[in-house]
Amino acid sequence: MDVSGSAYGAGTAELRGVSVDHDASIVELMKAMGLSPEVVERVARLWGKSAARNGGHTHLLLGHLLDTAAVAGVMWDRYLSAAFRGRLDEVSGGRGRLWFMWVCGIHDCGKACPAFQAMDAAEAAPVLASGLVLGRLPAGRGKRWRHDVAGAVLLRSRLVAEWGGEEAAGWVWPLVAGHHGAFPSVGALDPPRGAQGRGAAWEGVQRAVVDVFTRAVGFEDLADARPAAALRKAEQLVLSGLIVMADWIASDSSQFPGLSDAGLISFGEARRRAEAGWERLRLRGGWRDLALPEGPLVPLTGRLGVRPRASQRELVERAWSMPVPGLLVAEAPMGEGKTKAALAAAEVLAARFGFDGVFVAMPTQATSDPMYEQVLEWVHTFGPEFESQVALLHGRRRFNAWWRAIWEGKSRPDGDGCGYGGDGTLDVVGDDFGAIDEDADYGMVSALSSGDGVAGVGGEGPAHWFLGDKRGLLTAFAVGTVDHLLHAATRTRHVMLRFAGLAGKVVVVDEVHAADVYMRQFLVEALRWLGQAGVPVVLLSATLPPVQRQRFVDAYLSGVLGAADVHEAVPEPAGYPCVTVAYGVNGRAVAETSREVVRSWRDSASVELAWLSDTDVAGARVAAAVRDAVADGGVVLVVVNQVDRAQAIYRDLRDGGFGGVLHLLHARLCAADRAARTAECLRLMGPQAGGDRPERMVVIATQLAEQSFDVDADVLISDLAPTDLLLQRIGRLHRHSGTRRPVAHQVPRVVVTGVAPGREGVPRFLRASERIYGEWSLLRAAALVSEAAGALTGAGVGERAGSGWSIPADVPGLVARAYGGAEVCPVGWGEAGAWEQWQAKEREREKDAEGYLLCRRREWAFPTLEGLHYAGSRAASEDQLDAVVRDGDPSVEVVVVRRVPGGYRAVDGTWLGVHGEVDDDEATDRLMGGALRLPPHLTDAALAELSPLPGWTGMPWLRHRPALVLEEDGTRLLGAARVSYDEDLGLVVEREAG
């Protein structure tokens, strides 16, 4: 019989000669197996879900095991990727579906022990009446014997005996031991006295539970279930996550009501329950065996409607040429169309190698929103039904109009159609810190899973089950912050769920250069695991130092080859743009890169650079330079490294009577203000601006303008930043073809500030810049700018004294020199000392990250998951994970409200009520438009002094959000700071005199 397809009818299945009547009850099956009446009675009394915690109905243990196995069968038919189904078929000798059902269902066999059966007195009574003795169990939480570990103990000895040794059994028992989120070491398999069950009665019952379940799903006996080979460790982690998924679905009492009569429990009945539950929950997979594109470039020309540029063609052709799944690293200038090329490459990889969806990881919440809309439009071309399977993974997704239209049944932004609106606007710009803030933390799971408040969603609507805690990546298609990928590389509970969500997809990481040395530890760890799991990965970057490219390749290949230290030298690319590929064939590592020059879509242009000496936070010189730059018209983008400096420059221009359009954009704006300003900047300076582009406009921004900000400036004034980031900022300069510019701005020009000559000409930097980036990278950037702009002096804006930079042609060389081993600074700048300090700091940060990495270096070659969570993780809770992978000082997101006579108002003036209560979605949206993240130095004060308003109790999106209540004068004291919210400046923080 072919067990790879669906077999959900009633009747009898033939498997290797064993005849199984799936509609026979477990009681009938036990009798047919020749079990004694005493054993039949005892097994029929064991409970798996108590009435108290299962919707008022007891569910027997074998009922839950069969339910879980049946759910696994549906997952195989409708959810698992072809790639992973193929691997399970390989290790099971062609019986992948059957073996997957067995390993998922057997997970809770450890509940057949006294420690578990005694946990509920009402449920224990029938067990005791059957003749099983529970005995005296150890008291105290620290001595509690968990059923997941008990299951490993129960199974391990039998698997070793009946599968012929530890090698065959050693990778399977940790799957059972770890199904509650953590993998114990073998030393933990030591039950307290009496907890596991002693004597012939318990031994007979435990053996029977395993044997009856094994026979019921279709194996002849436990020996027949022996796998033919072992999965690799990363694949074991994927399988573990899928086991947890099947268990969680089967544990939903609203879909799987309890059955306390063993005579009503059969595998046939479990299958019918699983089919019905799956349908009601609207669960499904993605493409399901995606057909190959009709032509090599059809994913670009047909699906995405683009005329392929050379760099896009190169990436897609590389996806076609790889013999096995692997890593692709695409490096191309800003505005080259890397993301669309990556989506086209993802289609090719998925179709060729059997993957079922895509995860696109973005650096921030702000960049995730427009990408979500772009992926929606792309997925829609495969079929309208896929639209409801695209998840947006970040905590403010509620305020994305497209997400709400699809997942909450709200009206669509444009009434019909799908995807990116075309105007480049963001519905809500999230926090650039990138936090996940999963909805379960705010009580959304039960509300959405029950359908409450979800209007107009039919049978083909989205599966709200995926909105639960840690489940977002399990959706077929997902867009979210890169944190979701990084979290899948942390040694934290239920990491297997996150990783399982990645494993069936092509993973695309955009703006990969945005990861600093600390975040790169987790990215490298994730690449290692993804490589071993055979997951194709596409990394995108405009400015990637060669050492980072090499490290990413080595990490992926380390996973592919299963070795801790793999180094396969990446050849020097023939030019820029370029694509690097890495994969393994027959145990051999392969790393290739573009062998011929790939032309950029636009010719390189000479960019003039000049210095403006200024390290004053007030930025008066910068404001004066802005006035000069737009004296005869023009659009100027100012990017500085400090919010206070951005506010000061804006205030100088505003109060000085600036005659033109003036905008301020930074991280201390409320969400609504930041969204509105970002949208306005994109409207006036974006690719579709046309006649709306003002004659005179200035945007003052912080690092938010560094990436995924598709605007075109005539002049850039930027604080000095590390070379790669400075080049990112230059990417906003003369970006779009056809833009009309004043005569004075026909040549792109960059003015570099935030630096001043110090003693003996050694540069001095803004304190904020040095704190963020470190002295060494700034010194090297200053040296490279000096080659193009001439020596730094204390004068005003200098005339161009150097050769300038040719962009994008010079980008790879500049980045390579900035991060290479050769000195680039003039003698006397103290480059060597700054390098030592930088290296020491980097080593310290790497060491800090090691404590959270999913696998210790010395354990990478271990073949199983045993002991993966030994000693646990230092991340105490889920909400700490953001700080874990970002290495940022902890910060607090608040909602700004104003106290007024008789109650409160939102920051936009919306009335909230006496206790801050809101009574409809529109008011909630307006209130949450006042969300912002406080600067880290206010964290301690915020945690001590701020709390949600009384009227927010019971409101899922608000009850955990601290309110920053501004008094009637518009300010409040927070710790030692006086804070206020100005409609132009955003959050203003002033230190109290005293």
Side-chain angles (χ1 to χ4, degrees):
M1 174 184 175
D2 179 7
V3 296
S4 62
S6 179
Y8 273 80
T12 302
E14 297 292 337
L15 293 164
R16 286 196 178 178
V18 58
S19 177
V20 181
D21 181 357
H22 290 310
D23 277 332
S25 74
I26 57 171
V27 174
E28 294 172 310
L29 179 59
M30 286 190 282
K31 291 177 180 178
M33 291 172 64
L35 298 182
S36 70
E38 292 83 7
V39 171
V40 173
E41 176 69 13
R42 290 164 181 167
V43 170
R45 297 297 185 185
L46 296 176
W47 63 277
K49 301 286 182 181
S50 68
R53 297 189 177 187
N54 196 57
H57 299 282
T58 301
H59 197 30
L60 295 181
L61 175 57
L62 275 174
H64 176 60
L65 300 190
L66 293 174
D67 282 346
T68 308
V71 169
V74 185
M75 288 171 59
W76 178 279
D77 296 334
R78 306 188 190 180
Y79 181 81
L80 266 64
S81 68
F84 199 67
R85 295 199 308 269
R87 283 296 290 135
L88 290 177
D89 268 333
E90 287 177 25
V91 301
S92 65
R95 298 186 293 173
R97 185 176 186 275
L98 176 59
W99 196 83
F100 180 61
M101 291 192 296
W102 178 84
V103 77
C104 287
I106 202 67
H107 75 286
D108 258 356
C109 66
K111 289 183 174 179
C113 73
F116 180 84
Q117 293 296 314
M119 288 181 65
D120 185 293
E123 306 294 354
V127 177
L128 288 168
S130 73
L132 287 172
V133 177
L134 301 181
R136 295 186 61 184
L137 299 173
R141 186 177 183 85
K143 297 182 179 180
R144 182 180 301 167
W145 185 235
R146 294 179 55 90
H147 73 268
D148 46 1
V149 183
V153 173
L154 188 159
L155 266 184
R156 183 171 177 242
S157 59
R158 288 200 61 188
L159 296 183
V160 170
E162 299 181 44
W163 285 4
E166 178 65 37
E167 183 177 353
W171 67 275
V172 174
W173 70 257
L175 301 175
V176 173
H179 80 265
H180 273 277
F183 299 99
S185 63
V186 69
L189 307 186
D190 184 20
R193 182 179 177 86
Q196 184 74 9
R198 294 186 298 168
W202 272 111
E203 181 181 343
V205 163
Q206 290 169 347
R207 175 173 287 274
V209 166
V210 173
D211 290 344
V212 172
F213 166 75
T214 300
R215 186 68 172 270
V217 296
F219 283 115
E220 183 175 353
D221 52 28
L222 189 58
D224 188 31
R226 182 186 189 275
L231 292 174
R232 308 181 81 191
K233 183 163 64 175
E235 295 168 331
Q236 295 168 31
L237 192 65
V238 175
L239 177 55
S240 175
L242 295 172
I243 292 170
V244 174
M245 179 180 175
D247 180 26
W248 285 11
I249 293 171
S251 296
D252 184 343
S253 62
S254 66
Q255 308 301 329
F256 295 83
L259 295 174
S260 58
D261 182 351
L264 300 177
I265 295 173
S266 68
F267 195 36
E269 177 61 21
R271 286 175 154 182
R272 289 185 282 273
R273 285 154 61 92
E275 284 276 6
W278 188 270
E279 290 296 325
R280 284 192 296 267
L281 291 171
R282 304 192 187 105
L283 300 172
R284 52 195 177 276
W287 283 312
R288 311 303 296 151
D289 306 316
L290 180 66
L292 285 170
E294 294 179 357
L297 295 179
V298 167
L300 277 171
T301 58
R303 182 128 5 243
L304 290 163
V306 301
R307 180 180 298 172
R309 296 168 177 166
S311 62
Q312 294 173 319
R313 184 189 301 266
E314 175 79 355
L315 181 58
V316 174
E317 288 177 349
R318 287 285 179 170
W320 278 108
S321 69
M322 286 196 304
V324 293
L327 173 72
L328 296 99
V329 184
E331 299 170 62
M334 295 68 73
E336 187 77 16
K338 294 186 291 294
T339 306
K340 286 190 175 181
L343 294 178
E347 178 183 351
V348 172
L349 294 168
R352 291 187 64 213
F353 300 119
F355 290 86
D356 212 29
V358 171
F359 172 55
V360 182
M362 302 298 294
T364 67
Q365 291 183 358
T367 54
S368 297
D369 280 280
M371 181 54 61
Y372 171 66
E373 294 160 26
Q374 185 172 339
V375 170
L376 270 179
E377 184 175 24
W378 174 65
V379 164
H380 189 85
T381 65
F382 293 95
E385 69 275 12
F386 292 113
E387 187 180 285
S388 63
Q389 299 178 60
V390 185
L392 176 60
L393 304 182
H394 66 64
R396 291 182 181 169
R397 63 190 178 199
R398 181 180 192 270
F399 306 104
N400 180 288
W402 274 105
W403 186 86
R404 293 188 68 175
I406 291 169
W407 286 81
E408 295 185 1
K410 307 295 182 183
S411 60
R412 297 187 171 228
D414 58 357
D416 60 2
C418 174
Y420 206 28
D423 60 359
T425 60
L426 307 179
D427 293 301
V428 156
V429 180
D431 191 288
D432 59 307
F433 186 74
I436 287 181
D437 292 336
E438 292 170 296
D439 292 337
D441 295 342
Y442 304 104
M444 294 304 294
V445 180
S446 59
L448 287 174
S449 62
S450 65
D452 296 343
V454 182
V457 180
E460 293 301 315
H464 292 114
W465 186 89
F466 289 122
L467 299 184
D469 191 17
K470 307 168 189 173
R471 306 177 199 172
L473 283 173
L474 293 169
T475 48
F477 308 96
V479 178
T481 56
V482 71
D483 300 62
H484 288 270
L485 173 62
L486 305 183
H487 289 186
T490 58
R491 195 169 60 256
T492 46
R493 292 186 67 86
H494 292 113
V495 66
M496 68 283 288
L497 267 177
R498 302 183 193 276
F499 194 75
L502 294 171
K505 300 177 176 63
V506 180
V507 175
V508 177
V509 188
D510 203 0
E511 311 270 14
V512 72
H513 50 266
D516 64 14
V517 65
Y518 186 91
M519 293 169 63
R520 280 199 300 274
Q521 303 299 305
F522 298 97
L523 180 54
V524 163
E525 181 76 357
L527 289 174
R528 190 178 288 119
W529 284 82
L530 291 170
Q532 189 174 81
V535 175
V537 178
V538 184
L539 304 181
L540 307 177
S541 179
T543 53
L544 193 63
V547 67
Q548 287 187 32
R549 180 199 308 135
Q550 183 68 59
R551 191 174 183 196
F552 294 152
V553 165
D554 287 345
Y556 191 87
L557 290 175
S558 292
V560 170
L561 299 183
D565 295 296
V566 172
H567 177 73
E568 184 67 24
V570 177
E572 185 70 25
Y576 177 75
C578 64
V579 176
T580 301
V581 298
Y583 53 87
V585 177
N586 299 323
R588 181 177 63 89
V590 178
E592 302 170 342
T593 193
S594 300
R595 293 178 293 272
E596 298 178 0
V597 174
V598 179
R599 285 183 57 84
S600 177
W601 72 280
R602 60 179 179 179
D603 294 332
S604 289
S606 179
V607 176
E608 297 182 356
L609 279 85
W611 287 113
L612 171 59
S613 175
D614 180 50
T615 55
D616 185 354
V617 175
R621 279 191 163 192
V622 176
V626 169
R627 290 190 176 92
D628 289 343
V630 295
D632 296 319
V635 176
V636 176
L637 174 63
V638 182
V639 184
V640 295
N641 298 338
Q642 187 177 10
V643 173
D644 292 344
R645 183 165 159 87
Q647 290 175 326
I649 295 168
Y650 176 89
R651 188 186 288 115
D652 189 310
L653 290 169
R654 181 195 62 184
D655 296 349
F658 176 77
V661 178
L662 184 62
H663 282 297
L664 175 64
L665 189 61
H666 58 73
R668 291 189 211 160
L669 292 170
C670 287
D673 290 343
R674 190 166 151 189
R677 293 186 196 182
T678 302
E680 183 67 1
C681 291
L682 290 168
R683 185 181 72 82
L684 298 176
M685 299 170 63
Q688 308 300 323
D692 290 336
R693 185 178 177 91
E695 292 186 8
R696 183 180 285 103
M697 178 176 178
V698 175
V699 176
I700 302 155
T702 55
Q703 292 95 327
L704 301 182
E706 221 165 62
Q707 56 202 10
S708 299
F709 189 48
D710 193 8
V711 297
D712 182 331
D714 297 324
V715 178
L716 172 70
I717 300 178
S718 173
D719 278 347
L720 185 69
T723 306
D724 54 332
L725 302 183
L726 184 59
L727 288 166
Q728 285 289 325
R729 298 176 187 185
I730 292 174
R732 318 301 140 200
L733 187 63
H734 287 228
R735 185 179 177 96
H736 305 137
S737 59
T739 302
R740 57 180 178 81
R741 308 184 197 280
V743 175
H745 299 315
Q746 292 301 306
V747 176
R749 189 161 187 256
V750 180
V751 177
V752 181
T753 185
V755 59
R759 211 180 273 178
E760 300 180 2
V762 179
R764 290 185 296 106
F765 309 113
L766 279 166
R767 284 187 183 179
S769 300
E770 198 163 337
R771 185 176 65 251
I772 297 167
Y773 303 120
E775 183 185 19
W776 176 75
S777 60
L778 293 174
L779 282 173
R780 289 173 76 90
L784 293 174
V785 172
S786 293
E787 294 176 1
L792 173 65
T793 70
V797 178
E799 294 300 318
R800 182 170 66 88
S803 58
W805 287 343
S806 181
I807 302 297
D810 287 348
V811 168
L814 288 167
V815 174
R817 290 183 65 200
Y819 292 96
E823 292 192 359
V824 299
C825 298
V827 176
W829 278 22
E831 181 179 3
W835 162 255
E836 289 297 328
Q837 291 180 3
W838 186 81
Q839 279 287 86
K841 181 65 175 176
E842 298 292 272
R843 285 192 294 267
E844 179 183 340
R845 298 180 74 195
E846 287 184 359
K847 187 175 180 181
D848 288 343
E850 285 177 5
Y852 300 104
L853 293 177
L854 180 53
C855 187
R856 298 167 184 80
R857 186 178 184 82
R858 65 183 181 275
E859 297 170 356
W860 174 244
F862 289 8
T864 79
L865 298 171
E866 184 260 318
L868 188 70
H869 285 86
Y870 175 73
S873 167
R874 290 186 287 153
S877 62
E878 285 299 311
D879 56 7
Q880 286 185 325
L881 272 178
D882 303 311
V884 165
V885 299
R886 292 271 175 167
D887 192 30
D889 294 327
S891 59
V892 175
E893 187 174 75
V894 300
V895 179
V896 180
V897 298
R898 302 184 188 278
R899 194 190 305 275
V900 296
Y904 301 90
R905 289 190 181 276
V907 72
D908 72 343
T910 299
W911 172 250
L912 301 179
V914 176
H915 303 292
E917 57 270 26
V918 287
D919 54 10
D920 58 37
D921 280 350
E922 183 178 354
T924 301
D925 287 352
R926 289 179 173 275
L927 173 59
M928 288 298 292
L932 62 77
R933 192 169 290 276
L934 296 174
H937 70 270
L938 294 178
T939 296
D940 289 343
L943 292 174
E945 301 175 25
L946 304 183
S947 60
L949 292 181
W952 297 354
T953 302
M955 302 193 66
W957 288 95
L958 292 169
R959 64 185 177 198
H960 297 293
R961 304 268 184 171
L964 179 67
V965 180
L966 303 178
E967 302 300 334
E968 293 186 37
D969 67 351
T971 74
R972 71 160 291 154
L973 195 62
L974 187 59
R978 175 70 59 180
V979 299
S980 60
Y981 191 82
D982 183 276
E983 63 180 14
D984 289 333
L985 300 174
L987 185 75
V988 177
V989 182
E990 298 173 308
R991 208 151 182 84
E992 277 287 282

